[in-house]
Amino acid sequence: MFSKEYLFKKVAFSSATLILIILVSIFVMLFISAKPAIEKYGFNFLTDSSWNKTVETKVPLTPQEIKAKKSSKQKINTEEDDSLFADDTPVLGGDEASDNEDSNFNIITKNIFGGFVPIIGTILSALIAMAFSIPIAMGIAVFLSEIAPDFLIKPVGTAIELLAAIPSIIYGMWGLFYFAPLVQKVFGGSQISLLTAGLVLGVMILPFMAAITRDSMNTTPDVLKESAYALGATKYEVVKDVIFPYAKVGIIGSIILSLGRALGETMAVAFLIGSVFKIPHNLTDPTISIPVVLANNFGEASGDMMSSLFFLAFVLFVFSFFTIGIAKFYFLRGRR
Amino acid sequence: MAKELIMDIKDFSFKYAGAPKPSLVDINLPIYRNKVTAMIGPSGCGKSTLLRALNRIHDLYPGNEYKGEINLLNLETDNFENLLEIKKENEFIALRQRVGMIFQKPTPFPMSIFDNVAYGLKLAGIKDKNIVQEKVENALKGSAIWDEVKDRLKESAMGLSGGQQQRLCIARAVALKPEILLLDEPTSALDPISTGAIEELVSELKKDISIVIVTHNMQQASRLSDYTAFMYIGKLIEYNKTDKIFLNPQEKLTEDYVTGRFG
């Protein structure tokens, strides 16, 4: 009955199912936790650049309320004091009134959350990282797979694999103490900035990208390269016309994986991006990214802020998921 | 040297990088113009190694050692030039455009059928679109594949069958109008029908091109070639007209091999 064959099939099947269940459950959990914020802010969340901003709106009082207010002014004042303490926790109903010159209006304070700044910060820092690392990674990969003499291939290749294994916090520290002053010297602006974070991210994903790209270039059959040389191609032409097209899927894959890593990187970016909720007008301005917002704020968040953080996490999840999904779909389709 | 020769291999020895012994020893072999020369012999006898020396494709991997001469006729000056003296990259490129090569497995590039054939022309610096178009068409017609691909020139060459891919590779080499075409077991990965098509093509091509073919298949050698060289463990045992080799070999070893007693 329970032959090894059967067992083997079941084990393989459940392992495959497990990963799907984990993926779906993360998605569902993020969505449920983010739901209050999604309902409250909707798509405006993606374009609103204010985070935890207190907004006051005037709402006219009904005649009954005016009466009630006049009769119990004392009481309201104490309530107002309470509301000062409670300012951090957003006021859901928004029905607290404060004493105003215009006593015919109710002043409603509430805290608005918008994710535009971290979303922009995440995308820009990832883009800077890609722009910096793709050309260099390609150069390293071409050198290692086609140009380097035998005695260099092993040590340089191993060094790159080791670099890929360094924990990100070390990149963050190195970036903060040595790289940031250098970036400031060259580009001006502040030391901790979008640019610094992007460049250090680029350095971080560089070895990873280079190693995978080299591996996929190495899968090009020798005979294919030889037949291009036999037509009179130079090394550059063979790399450009034969190796790159042949290894395209692997190279794109390495870029996408690195992009995923750049989008989600927390520690190194937290050190370097500045953690301010401001839209960067220059590349050298400090700003913030989604993972950094999450890491910095979860500790003391509750209410609206909590669900807004989950909303941001949800946005990051969907964004990474679709970036990888679309790229995979597009390039794998091209392969067939 | 006689005028009907296109290539003359003299006292040629070859040693792979790091190998203790040379793989080829003192090879003397003439290649006649517009004829098919077959190289036969058991696996490991060095026939492919010799073939790959004729366009110096060995030089893609550093450290190999050559000795002797491989003289190639320069059609413009009518003089023989030793191609083992080539050192500069542009000379290698020129050599490989004069001495084309087809490999054991079809090697279409990951691009369209048209671009595959146009690729060598592009490398040779031919930019005029009309000329490229014409040369590609002629090469495809000359390689007996035009009728099969003329409606799908823009499609990827990876979608062709093995036999079609191999004829495409021949078209790609022929488009450059090489003087010599080296075929390294060109049909060993193909079915009998595709093999027949390639063989027909080879006998067609020899009108314009001198051909050197390495083959494991003795029927193929006897069907196709005008001259045959029998090699064994890095040495050229016997070289003669094909019918002499197959019908009246001078060496015992050759006789044993062509009659199927070993190999």
Side-chain angles (χ1 to χ4, degrees):
Chain A
M1 280 291 278
F2 289 96
S3 66
K4 275 180 189 165
E5 188 75 13
Y6 178 81
L7 218 64
F8 167 73
K9 270 187 189 163
K10 284 291 162 199
V11 168
F13 178 76
S14 39
S15 313
T17 320
L18 185 67
I19 194 71
L20 208 67
I21 292 174
I22 292 175
L23 188 73
V24 171
S25 70
I26 291 176
F27 183 84
V28 169
M29 182 281 286
L30 283 179
F31 185 75
I32 290 174
S33 309
K35 217 173 169 216
I38 294 174
E39 280 169 354
K40 203 161 176 186
Y41 308 118
F43 279 108
N44 283 339
F45 185 81
L46 304 179
T47 52
D48 187 354
S49 60
S50 49
W51 177 263
N52 202 4
K53 191 169 124 194
T54 311
V55 190
E56 298 185 341
T57 38
K58 287 179 181 179
V59 176
L61 293 177
T62 57
Q64 290 94 330
E65 277 178 323
I66 297 171
K67 244 181 228 170
K69 196 176 173 183
K70 276 175 185 163
S71 67
S72 58
K73 205 163 192 175
Q74 246 2 68
K75 206 182 160 197
I76 290 167
N77 277 343
T78 57
E79 264 177 22
E80 193 198 350
D81 284 345
D82 280 343
S83 76
L84 280 176
F85 288 107
D87 226 27
D88 274 351
T89 54
V91 186
L92 279 172
D95 53 358
E96 279 187 40
S98 63
D99 203 358
N100 198 284
E101 303 139 37
D102 192 354
S103 54
N104 286 339
F105 286 96
N106 238 345
I107 303 294
I108 298 169
T109 65
K110 57 177 185 178
N111 290 14
I112 298 274
F113 293 88
F116 186 64
V117 177
I119 289 172
I120 279 292
T122 306
I123 294 174
L124 286 181
S125 58
L127 283 183
I128 293 171
M130 300 316 277
F132 172 75
S133 57
I134 289 175
I136 300 179
M138 296 303 127
I140 295 172
V142 169
F143 178 76
L144 285 181
S145 74
E146 292 305 309
I147 298 167
D150 280 347
F151 69 91
L152 268 184
I153 291 176
K154 257 258 155 81
V156 177
T158 313
I160 281 172
E161 277 151 24
L162 286 179
L163 270 180
I166 293 179
S168 60
I169 190 158
I170 293 174
Y171 280 102
M173 289 167 68
W174 166 78
L176 184 61
F177 291 106
Y178 291 95
F179 197 64
L182 188 74
V183 172
Q184 189 188 35
K185 220 178 252 175
V186 178
F187 296 97
S190 55
Q191 284 193 4
I192 42 172
S193 67
L194 184 59
L195 183 67
T196 317
L199 289 179
V200 171
L201 262 185
V203 174
M204 263 185 69
I205 58 179
L206 184 59
F208 189 62
M209 202 191 281
I212 303 183
T213 302
R214 174 205 57 187
D215 290 346
S216 49
M217 283 182 174
N218 279 344
T219 62
T220 313
D222 279 346
V223 67
L224 198 62
K225 291 186 247 173
E226 283 173 8
S227 58
Y229 283 116
L231 285 174
T234 59
K235 196 160 255 176
Y236 166 74
E237 286 159 341
V238 171
V239 168
K240 174 171 72 87
D241 298 323
V242 177
I243 296 177
F244 264 108
Y246 188 87
K248 189 174 81 182
V249 171
I251 296 172
I252 302 282
S254 84
I255 292 175
I256 293 167
L257 284 177
S258 311
L259 178 64
R261 207 178 158 196
L263 286 173
E265 175 53 37
T266 312
M267 224 42 239
V269 181
F271 268 71
L272 296 162
I273 203 165
S275 303
V276 283
F277 277 96
K278 258 184 10 199
I279 295 176
H281 295 288
N282 286 313
L283 286 182
T284 51
D285 287 347
T287 180
I288 199 162
S289 74
I290 296 177
V292 177
V293 178
L294 301 183
N296 286 349
N297 292 295
F298 257 123
E300 58 264 19
S302 60
D304 269 6
M305 187 189 262
M306 189 59 128
S307 57
S308 298
L309 290 176
F310 271 109
F311 197 172
L312 273 181
F314 183 70
V315 168
L316 184 63
F317 181 89
V318 171
F319 189 66
S320 326
F321 196 81
F322 273 90
T323 317
I324 293 175
I326 288 169
K328 259 210 131 96
F329 174 76
Y330 181 76
F331 288 105
L332 286 185
R333 193 192 50 179
R335 177 75 157 177
R336 278 180 216 127
Chain B
M1 279 177 243
K3 279 280 150 63
E4 61 267 30
L5 284 183
I6 183 120
M7 198 181 246
D8 196 13
I9 303 165
K10 282 190 169 171
D11 302 327
F12 177 69
S13 299
F14 179 83
K15 189 161 93 66
Y16 277 110
K21 281 196 299 186
S23 302
L24 296 172
V25 184
D26 291 335
I27 306 285
N28 284 288
L29 180 69
I31 308 288
Y32 287 94
R33 205 164 160 180
N34 295 354
K35 301 281 185 224
V36 177
T37 305
M39 296 203 265
I40 59 170
S43 299
C45 69
K47 54 195 191 302
S48 285
T49 304
L50 177 58
L51 192 79
R52 290 163 64 86
L54 303 185
N55 67 348
R56 301 276 308 265
I57 203 90
H58 281 303
D59 286 61
L60 299 180
Y61 312 98
N64 301 319
E65 288 169 31
Y66 298 95
K67 257 185 236 156
E69 290 174 22
I70 298 177
N71 295 307
L72 176 65
L73 181 70
N74 186 330
L75 292 178
E76 283 163 25
T77 60
D78 234 14
N79 288 325
F80 280 90
E81 288 160 5
N82 184 0
L83 59 88
L84 295 182
E85 282 165 6
I86 288 175
K87 287 199 179 66
K88 288 190 217 134
E89 189 171 30
N90 57 347
E91 290 174 332
F92 275 118
I93 290 169
L95 169 69
R96 286 168 192 160
Q97 285 169 346
R98 286 168 64 195
V99 184
M101 190 164 199
I102 304 296
F103 296 83
Q104 202 164 352
K105 280 189 187 150
T107 55
F109 298 140
M111 44 179 99
S112 76
I113 293 169
F114 182 89
D115 289 343
N116 257 283
V117 184
Y119 186 64
L121 301 169
K122 203 181 105 195
L123 294 179
I126 300 170
K127 292 210 176 67
D128 189 320
K129 275 196 183 142
N130 295 328
I131 296 178
V132 171
Q133 181 83 38
E134 189 192 315
K135 284 188 183 247
V136 168
E137 199 176 317
N138 287 340
L140 287 170
K141 279 176 181 157
S143 307
I145 192 179
W146 173 252
D147 289 334
E148 291 158 66
V149 300
K150 66 182 172 198
D151 299 322
R152 45 196 274 207
L153 291 173
K154 292 274 166 272
E155 286 172 34
S156 168
M158 308 305 234
L160 296 172
S161 75
Q164 288 172 326
Q165 287 183 354
Q166 193 65 301
R167 273 178 287 154
L168 181 72
C169 292
I170 294 178
R172 190 170 70 190
V174 166
L176 286 170
K177 297 249 178 274
E179 292 146 35
I180 302 182
L181 197 57
L182 310 173
L183 304 163
D184 190 356
E185 297 180 37
T187 60
S188 64
L190 304 181
D191 62 85
I193 293 172
S194 306
T195 301
I198 301 271
E199 287 183 7
E200 218 168 281
L201 175 56
V202 168
S203 12
E204 200 56 34
L205 286 174
K206 76 172 181 181
K207 286 177 195 155
D208 305 310
I209 304 174
S210 319
I211 288 168
V212 184
I213 181 169
V214 163
T215 178
H216 268 296
N217 181 335
M218 273 177 287
Q219 283 78 32
Q220 187 171 63
S222 65
R223 273 196 302 268
L224 274 182
S225 65
D226 304 296
Y227 295 89
T228 297
F230 171 63
M231 294 178 67
Y232 187 64
I233 326 183
K235 289 193 176 110
L236 180 66
I237 304 296
E238 194 171 348
Y239 167 79
N240 214 328
K241 290 201 161 153
T242 297
D243 42 7
K244 290 252 173 67
I245 290 278
F246 281 94
L247 299 175
N248 187 19
Q250 304 298 304
E251 300 284 330
K252 179 83 173 55
L253 218 48
T254 315
E255 190 182 342
D256 287 351
Y257 185 73
V258 297
T259 52
R261 239 167 274 168
F262 84 102

